Amino acid sequence: MSQKRTSRISEDPEELAHIPLQAILLADSFAQKFRPITLERPKVLLPLVDVPMIDYTLAWLESAGVEEVFVFCCAHSKQVIDHLEKSQWLRQPHFAVSTIESHDSISAGDALRLIYERNVIHGDFILVSGDTVSNMCLKQVLQEHKERRKRDSNTVMTMVIKRSKPSQLIHQTRLGNDEILVAIDPETSQLLLYEDKAELSKGIITLDKTLLADNPTVSLRNDMQDCYIDICSQEVLSLFTDNFDYQHLRRHFVKGLLLDDIMGYKIFTHEIHSSYAARIDNFRSYDTISKDITQRWTYPFVPDVQFCGNCPLNKLERQGIYKAADVIQSRSAQIGPFTLVGSGTSIGDNSTISNSIIGRGCIIGSNVSIEGSYIWDNVTIHDDCKISHAIVCDDVVVRAGATLEPGVILSFKVAIGAQSVVPAYSKVSLLPQPKKQDSDEELEYADSSSGVLESPTAGVLGMANGEFELDLSDPQSLGTSEVGASGLGYVWSISDVGHGEEWKQSIAPISADKLSELVGGTHTNLDLSTQDVNTLHAYGELKPDSVIDSDDDTNEEFKGDDTSFEKEVEATFLRAVHEVPGVQQEHVQLEIKSLRMSYNAETIDVVGAVFYSIMKLALEAPHNRNGELFLNVRDVLSRWKGLLKHFCQDMDDKIEIIMKLEEMSSESAKEFSPLFSKILEELYDQEIVTEPSILSWASEKAGADESDKIFLKQSETFIQWLKEAEEESSDEND
């Protein structure tokens, strides 16, 4: 007789009360920074390395264990819903994705109030926008938030933050954001103050005495990056409902709770270290995060891994080149490092492409130069065109001989006339620039029925099914004179869009003078409202009833972190070389000096890191034999020896170069091992190291173990020649 099967009934109260891990994904940024592109397509559907932004966010949430996601759609909601219905996300097991649609919400606050009314959130949830790229694990931050809630029911939010080790200057240049200033209790990680530099009056902030009186220790930081990933308690939604003044998540909600002394709600922070997390806030961060993806900082969300159903599969080749299997490339065409070429694209004779993302179905003619740019799908670029650090949207036509200068944005279906030059930072669209713009930059203009943004089109455009219909019967009305003969598009006014700082949030490289300007304004002035505290270092801890000595070493945590510093220098150097054609050495010097200040590094550490980076550049270049690798070394040393000499001040620094070469040859870059002696001679010939520094290194090595004398023995002939030359010189002097 078979026994009747019984289901197991858990006695664990937490298991019995299991609530699926939920997330709210805001598919509307409620901002205008991606105009004119977002007049026609929502930001979360813009391609990021050939994949819609929202797919990165959903793929990460699924991998992190989220079980239920509510996607809030406002502007262009129909397009977002259509994308989700055609994708795999609505059909994933153990991962439910549903949409909440609204045409009346004009802010994140409105969105959260509507979600509260729907009563779909039943516990702690993750709040994130659909332009977030991350590979962090949520387990630890969720556990921390849960434990805090048990101890203190006033805990309502945990914000994910990350240190910008290369200083806030490098962070600004990378992501185009203003720095933030936060005060954190180092013992509990409670957030005590949050300020955006853009809101500070003349860069000055005043701290209330009560902040110090109520907290034994305060860590004031301006080296943190807000990842815009929040773990929220259910009360967050009701707080937005109770306070209709809360519109912006940071400016209103976070700062409002921090200033509220009555209710006592608390916000905490969780700092991530090795994981990746960033939000695409503007064109510069779009450029930076795209490059981080191609350089594989976001693994497993990279171009050669199919992490979502619609994700194209690209083959990874040497030097970070990704290509679809059916790309048609002329034999004389050259594709440079960190470049992706999408399916069905063809590239003509003698064309060069580097540090760029080329979409699907593009036709690129002959003698075309594309550098640091983003060419989306079905773009046609005729012969002899030059495109540098630009974004070119779907179905654009760039006619023969045209030039796009750095920072140019061409929206959908624009045509650029032959031999035309589109000036730097120009934005061109088939839609005319709106004449009236709301004073609140957070607002989107959503049509009440379709979610398509309204625009004064004066008969040129018609509305149909939530999309734009173009009437091309009157080409002159589309601003053809502005973009050359046979061109189509309106050139938007730069002054109205960029307010004089279009360079800061553009994908164009920042010029040396602008970088120097940022260096000069790196430090925020602090007016600390206590009698005893006068100054505060960027990484210091602030304690009441104490005076901070300006000579204190506040960067002690960075001491000894040589590996991290070396990696940051390498990343900064290689990024400058690959992304900025003809980059000036003075520009790179400024970047590395900022890193040195951030890490409080010694000169000898800088020299070693710079030499390491230069040698890695030689290793990156194509080579099949030792002879080719040596030629690469000779070339890069010849080009960058000025940078190395700038930091190389004394004999110890020169010895450090030799020791770094020895270290690389035996450990991280053994390809240099058989070439050690030849490279040492080349360093001498190019006057990077000197005869005394080489002989001093040889003298130190003479007493080492036999296993440590490999490269000394390899260089015996050269060292003997130096000794004889030194003796002859000494005899001549006598």
Side-chain angles (χ1 to χ4, degrees):
M1 180 183 293
S2 61
Q3 291 185 334
K4 191 174 182 179
R5 297 179 65 182
T6 58
S7 59
R8 184 183 69 88
I9 299 176
S10 172
E11 296 181 359
D12 186 345
E14 289 193 6
E15 188 174 337
L16 288 171
H18 173 72
I19 298 173
L21 180 57
Q22 297 175 303
I24 294 175
L25 186 155
L26 300 178
D28 197 318
S29 61
F30 304 104
Q32 303 172 11
K33 294 178 181 177
F34 273 77
R35 284 193 171 190
I37 298 174
T38 47
L39 287 176
E40 301 178 63
R41 184 182 295 179
K43 178 183 171 185
V44 295
L45 295 188
L46 301 185
L48 180 69
V49 193
D50 217 16
V51 175
M53 290 183 193
I54 195 172
D55 287 343
Y56 286 94
T57 313
L58 288 170
W60 163 61
L61 290 174
E62 182 194 30
S63 70
V66 174
E67 299 167 80
E68 192 172 13
V69 180
F70 295 95
V71 179
F72 183 87
C73 314
C74 187
H76 301 298
S77 58
K78 185 177 184 299
Q79 293 187 43
V80 177
I81 293 170
D82 287 347
H83 171 77
L84 292 175
E85 289 178 346
K86 294 174 183 176
S87 72
Q88 66 160 359
W89 299 119
L90 300 188
R91 295 176 289 278
Q92 287 294 307
H94 314 298
F95 186 66
V97 177
S98 54
T99 57
I100 297 176
E101 188 176 7
S102 169
H103 302 303
D104 301 319
S105 300
I106 57 175
S107 70
D110 288 346
L112 296 180
R113 281 184 279 272
L114 179 59
I115 292 171
Y116 177 75
E117 292 173 6
R118 298 289 179 91
N119 194 30
V120 294
I121 299 298
H122 306 299
D124 295 344
F125 64 95
I126 294 96
L127 179 59
V128 68
S129 59
D131 51 14
T132 300
V133 178
S134 179
N135 59 10
M136 71 171 286
C137 177
L138 290 172
K139 183 177 180 180
Q140 183 180 352
V141 64
L142 286 168
Q143 186 64 31
E144 287 177 4
H145 181 80
K146 185 177 180 180
E147 293 297 328
R148 290 192 190 105
R149 289 279 294 164
K150 287 181 180 179
R151 294 193 299 268
D152 189 344
S153 60
N154 281 336
T155 299
V156 294
M157 179 186 283
T158 300
M159 294 170 48
V160 176
I161 58 176
K162 182 167 184 164
R163 182 189 303 173
S164 297
K165 287 186 179 179
S167 83
Q168 71 273 19
L169 165 64
I170 305 300
H171 173 56
Q172 285 176 340
T173 59
R174 275 177 52 79
L175 295 179
N177 298 326
D178 285 311
E179 68 183 86
I180 60 169
L181 185 73
V182 295
I184 299 171
D185 184 332
E187 298 296 326
T188 65
S189 297
Q190 183 180 348
L191 183 69
L192 305 172
L193 178 140
Y194 185 102
E195 291 289 347
D196 190 319
K197 183 179 177 182
E199 298 174 16
L200 300 181
S201 175
K202 298 180 181 179
I204 297 175
I205 181 173
T206 301
L207 298 182
D208 197 314
K209 290 181 180 179
T210 58
L211 180 69
L212 304 179
D214 297 340
N215 300 277
T217 307
V218 176
S219 178
L220 193 61
R221 310 289 294 272
N222 68 345
D223 65 328
M224 305 305 293
Q225 169 192 336
D226 188 344
C227 300
Y228 294 94
I229 297 171
D230 302 322
I231 312 302
C232 302
S233 303
Q234 207 172 354
E235 287 86 344
V236 167
L237 299 177
S238 60
L239 286 171
F240 272 94
T241 303
D242 295 339
N243 298 272
F244 277 82
D245 290 339
Y246 290 167
Q247 300 292 336
H248 189 273
L249 286 171
R250 295 294 185 261
R251 195 175 305 158
H252 301 146
F253 176 72
V254 169
K255 293 184 68 174
L257 291 191
L258 294 177
L259 294 173
D260 187 351
D261 297 328
I262 299 174
M263 301 304 294
Y265 290 114
K266 297 176 182 178
I267 299 173
F268 291 84
T269 61
H270 173 82
E271 183 178 343
I272 59 175
H273 301 280
S274 58
S275 302
Y276 187 91
R279 182 188 175 198
I280 303 160
D281 181 62
N282 52 65
F283 287 118
R284 184 167 296 282
S285 55
Y286 174 86
D287 176 52
T288 297
I289 294 171
S290 295
K291 288 178 168 57
D292 289 343
I293 292 170
T294 58
Q295 294 175 21
R296 309 182 73 77
W297 293 104
T298 60
Y299 188 86
F301 309 118
V302 291
D304 59 320
V305 175
Q306 201 156 15
F307 55 84
C308 69
N310 299 333
C311 179
L313 190 59
N314 301 281
K315 182 182 178 183
L316 173 61
E317 301 179 0
R318 290 186 63 182
Q319 295 185 292
I321 299 172
Y322 302 85
K323 285 169 60 177
D326 58 350
V327 169
I328 302 172
Q329 178 185 347
S330 168
R331 288 187 177 182
S332 58
Q334 296 182 4
I335 298 178
F338 303 117
T339 295
L340 181 145
V341 183
S343 176
T345 289
S346 63
I347 306 170
D349 297 337
N350 300 310
S351 290
T352 59
I353 304 172
S354 62
N355 297 294
S356 298
I357 306 298
I358 311 297
R360 287 166 274 191
C362 296
I363 301 173
I364 299 172
S366 301
N367 302 308
V368 173
S369 171
I370 301 175
E371 169 67 30
S373 297
Y374 300 87
I375 313 298
W376 294 358
D377 294 345
N378 303 312
V379 172
T380 301
I381 302 173
H382 292 187
D383 297 347
D384 304 312
C385 291
K386 184 176 181 180
I387 300 175
S388 175
H389 302 280
I391 294 178
V392 180
C393 297
D394 295 355
D395 303 306
V396 166
V397 177
V398 182
R399 305 195 189 279
T403 298
L404 307 185
E405 294 187 342
V408 165
I409 308 295
L410 302 184
S411 195
F412 303 97
K413 298 183 179 180
V414 161
I416 302 300
Q419 308 300 324
S420 299
V421 177
V422 183
Y425 307 113
S426 297
K427 293 178 172 64
V428 185
S429 173
L430 292 185
L431 304 180
Q433 189 170 5
K435 295 179 181 177
K436 295 181 180 179
Q437 300 210 28
D438 197 284
S439 58
D440 188 346
E441 65 174 7
E442 301 305 322
L443 301 183
E444 281 272 20
Y445 302 101
D447 180 83
S448 60
S449 60
S450 66
V452 176
L453 303 181
E454 297 173 353
S455 181
T457 53
V460 176
L461 304 172
M463 303 289 287
N465 300 321
E467 302 293 341
F468 290 106
E469 272 189 358
L470 302 179
D471 178 8
L472 303 182
S473 59
D474 183 12
Q476 188 61 36
S477 67
L478 284 176
T480 56
S481 60
E482 297 180 279
V483 290
S486 69
L488 292 173
Y490 295 97
V491 179
W492 285 31
S493 168
I494 293 178
S495 58
D496 290 342
V497 176
H499 302 292
E501 286 197 348
E502 62 277 353
W503 56 271
K504 190 174 183 181
Q505 296 188 347
S506 165
I507 73 166
I510 296 179
S511 61
D513 60 326
K514 292 295 184 184
L515 186 64
S516 299
E517 182 182 316
L518 284 175
V519 171
T522 294
H523 300 291
T524 301
N525 296 318
L526 303 174
D527 178 11
L528 305 180
S529 300
T530 68
Q531 294 180 349
D532 298 318
V533 182
N534 300 312
T535 61
L536 181 68
H537 296 285
Y539 307 96
E541 289 189 354
L542 183 61
K543 300 183 180 181
D545 303 323
S546 65
V547 178
I548 296 180
D549 188 348
S550 60
D551 293 329
D552 282 351
D553 185 6
T554 57
N555 281 335
E556 196 65 35
E557 61 186 296
F558 285 140
K559 289 280 190 181
D561 196 7
D562 298 335
T563 304
S564 296
F565 175 69
E566 190 172 88
K567 287 181 178 178
E568 293 289 358
V569 171
E570 179 192 355
T572 299
F573 175 76
L574 294 179
R575 186 165 55 244
V577 171
H578 292 314
E579 297 176 15
V580 186
V583 62
Q584 298 297 311
Q585 296 201 18
E586 293 79 6
H587 190 160
V588 183
Q589 285 174 17
L590 283 170
E591 295 264 10
I592 294 174
K593 284 179 179 178
S594 298
L595 281 171
R596 178 187 175 185
M597 289 187 293
S598 175
Y599 278 84
N600 195 27
E602 302 291 341
T603 303
I604 198 167
D605 298 327
V606 178
V607 170
V610 171
F611 177 72
Y612 177 87
S613 304
I614 291 172
M615 296 300 286
K616 285 297 290 288
L617 182 61
L619 203 58
E620 264 190 13
H623 61 274
N624 294 319
R625 301 186 303 273
N626 287 341
E628 292 176 351
L629 178 57
F630 177 72
L631 292 177
N632 291 346
V633 172
R634 175 180 288 173
D635 290 343
V636 296
L637 287 176
S638 178
R639 181 184 175 192
W640 293 102
K641 63 183 178 183
L643 177 68
L644 196 53
K645 289 180 178 180
H646 176 80
F647 294 104
C648 196
Q649 302 296 326
D650 54 32
M651 191 165 78
D652 286 343
D653 296 336
K654 294 177 175 64
I655 294 173
E656 174 66 16
I657 291 174
I658 303 172
M659 293 177 67
K660 181 61 69 172
L661 174 62
E662 185 180 19
E663 175 190 313
M664 293 182 73
S665 300
S666 60
E667 297 177 9
S668 60
K670 294 183 179 180
E671 293 94 328
F672 293 133
S673 179
L675 298 172
F676 181 89
S677 179
K678 291 188 67 175
I679 295 173
L680 184 62
E681 290 184 44
E682 187 65 28
L683 289 168
Y684 175 78
D685 290 341
Q686 296 204 30
E687 299 180 349
I688 296 170
V689 298
T690 58
E691 179 182 308
S693 61
I694 297 172
L695 295 178
S696 177
W697 167 78
S699 176
E700 289 180 15
K701 279 291 173 183
D705 295 337
E706 289 300 315
S707 58
D708 291 333
K709 293 182 180 181
I710 297 173
F711 300 113
L712 177 64
K713 291 180 178 179
Q714 188 186 128
S715 308
E716 278 180 345
T717 303
F718 176 55
I719 292 170
Q720 185 61 36
W721 177 83
L722 287 177
K723 289 179 177 178
E724 292 173 356
E726 184 182 39
E727 290 172 1
E728 290 177 5
S729 176
S730 178
D731 291 341
E732 289 176 3
N733 290 335
D734 291 341

